[in-house]
Amino acid sequence: MKGLISLFLGLFVACIGLDNPAGIPRFTLGNTDLMSGVDFIPAMIGLFAVSEVLRAMVSGAPDWEVKQTSIGNPLRGWGRMLVKYWPQQVRGNITGTAIGILPGAGADIAAWVSYAMSRKFSKTPEKFGTGHVEGIIESTSSNNAALAGAWVPALVFGIPGDSITAIVIGVLYLKGLNPGPTLFLNNPESIYAVFIIFILANLAMIPLGLAALKAGTTLLKAPRRLMMPVILLFCIVGAYAVNNSVYGIVLMLIFGVLGFLMEEHGVPIAPCVLGIVLGKMLEEAFVTSMIKADGHLLGFFERPVAAGLGVVTLLVMLLPLWSAWRARVRQPA
């Protein structure tokens, strides 16, 4: 139930801004900055970083306990984990690739969707949120797969899959290359260059990741009372840099307090993030479908494929409620 509350809260945040397609302001309270909706980056900074700073300030958390032991070889045991968690990797790669191909979806959505799926299918969902390796493997696999999948619409159709490929498309145009089917016919060497760069980038991630591990252990040795103000400073700079406006800082602080209150009352943040990220796309797809169906909900079930997807969606939504109801009925009075 708390997960649903968090999800609907995220969907409500996604509704802030101009109505689609009428263009009527919703929940803006007369603020022109909210006309374009809630900026994703300040909201995420607030929900995750600022809420943690507030928690440390309120609880007076002690310094991190760092064991003075050698890290050793971080790659040790990766083969065993590869065998043990292969379903999570396969599922994350498939999900990430599928979401990455969708224009504008991005790796963040893929990671959160895969994290939710991993928790749903896990035998130990109570460990999620504590750094459980099962959720980390699936979400990071999905994140990496989405980054690669975003290049599919960018190179094949000239449609950016995310912000990175949007910049790449602009660079290709500056170089006289037209992203699309003609790129494969007229400049196939450019495609092979992209593939080679991908391979080199993945290889370069290994030493860079090892260096980041050592830097992370050094940062953890710093006192928390000194780290939290520095973290808050970086949060403020990042939120301001999004639009070079104080509006981002205010938004960050509001969501920081919201995230702090949610975690204090045991409400998960992940569903709220999914609601914020997917809310706009959900509304656009729903409104477009309703316009095509002349306002009839049965239009979602007229064609076989649409009917199948609709039935699956309803089952996914209703099965958890039915399972919870059966569990409550079976409990002895």
Side-chain angles (χ1 to χ4, degrees):
M1 182 60 69
K2 290 183 178 180
L4 286 176
I5 293 174
S6 178
L7 176 62
F8 283 117
L9 180 60
L11 292 175
F12 169 75
V13 172
C15 290
I16 298 175
L18 294 179
D19 179 25
N20 177 42
I24 301 174
R26 297 180 303 188
F27 311 113
T28 59
L29 303 177
N31 191 330
T32 56
D33 290 323
L34 291 175
M35 291 290 187
S36 58
V38 174
D39 288 329
F40 178 72
I41 294 178
M44 294 304 101
I45 294 175
L47 285 174
F48 291 104
V50 178
S51 62
E52 184 65 29
V53 173
L54 291 175
R55 189 179 306 106
M57 292 172 57
V58 172
S59 61
D63 294 337
W64 291 287
E65 295 183 3
V66 182
K67 295 182 179 180
Q68 300 295 327
T69 56
S70 177
I71 297 177
N73 184 9
L75 300 179
R76 183 182 302 165
W78 71 271
R80 184 171 60 254
M81 294 181 64
L82 187 67
V83 174
K84 182 178 180 180
Y85 296 106
W86 69 266
Q88 286 77 13
Q89 297 175 63
V90 172
R91 192 165 57 220
N93 282 317
I94 294 175
T95 304
T97 303
I99 294 178
I101 293 174
L102 299 175
D108 292 333
I109 297 177
W112 282 109
V113 170
S114 291
Y115 182 84
M117 289 178 58
S118 180
R119 185 172 186 174
K120 181 69 176 178
F121 293 107
S122 175
K123 296 180 180 179
T124 56
E126 67 279 358
K127 293 184 179 180
F128 280 69
T130 61
H132 188 37
V133 66
E134 189 175 345
I136 295 174
I137 288 177
E138 184 158 348
S139 59
T140 51
S141 298
S142 181
N143 180 85
N144 295 338
L147 292 174
W151 286 79
V152 174
L155 295 178
V156 176
F157 303 109
I159 302 173
D162 56 9
S163 58
I164 297 175
T165 51
I167 298 174
V168 171
I169 288 176
V171 173
L172 290 177
Y173 278 121
L174 290 176
K175 298 296 182 179
L177 302 175
N178 296 324
T182 57
L183 182 63
F184 291 82
L185 298 175
N186 301 331
N187 304 94
E189 66 279 0
S190 300
I191 302 300
Y192 289 112
V194 171
F195 295 158
I196 294 173
I197 290 173
F198 265 121
I199 296 173
L200 295 177
N202 281 277
L203 293 176
M205 286 177 63
I206 298 175
L208 291 176
L210 295 176
L213 281 175
K214 295 184 179 296
T217 55
T218 304
L219 288 175
L220 289 176
K221 295 178 182 178
R224 182 173 291 194
R225 64 182 182 277
L226 298 179
M227 285 295 298
M228 289 303 168
V230 175
I231 293 174
L232 183 60
L233 176 62
F234 279 109
C235 291
I236 294 173
V237 172
Y240 180 83
V242 174
N243 292 316
N244 293 328
S245 172
V246 181
Y247 158 71
I249 300 176
V250 175
L251 200 63
M252 176 199 71
L253 295 176
I254 292 174
F255 277 91
V257 175
L258 177 63
F260 170 75
L261 294 176
M262 289 174 65
E263 292 192 347
E264 285 293 309
H265 292 84
V267 179
I269 293 179
C272 180
V273 175
L274 285 176
I276 295 174
V277 173
L278 298 176
K280 289 290 184 182
M281 289 187 290
L282 177 64
E283 182 185 10
E284 290 177 4
F286 178 75
V287 171
T288 302
S289 301
M290 290 299 292
I291 291 174
K292 291 181 178 179
D294 293 329
H296 299 292
L297 290 174
L298 293 179
F300 290 98
F301 304 94
E302 287 180 350
R303 298 185 179 183
V305 176
L309 292 175
V311 171
V312 171
T313 302
L314 291 176
L315 289 176
V316 170
M317 294 174 61
L318 296 178
L319 279 178
L321 298 177
W322 182 72
S323 300
W325 176 78
R326 287 198 62 183
R328 179 174 296 183
V329 170
R330 290 180 178 179
Q331 287 181 352

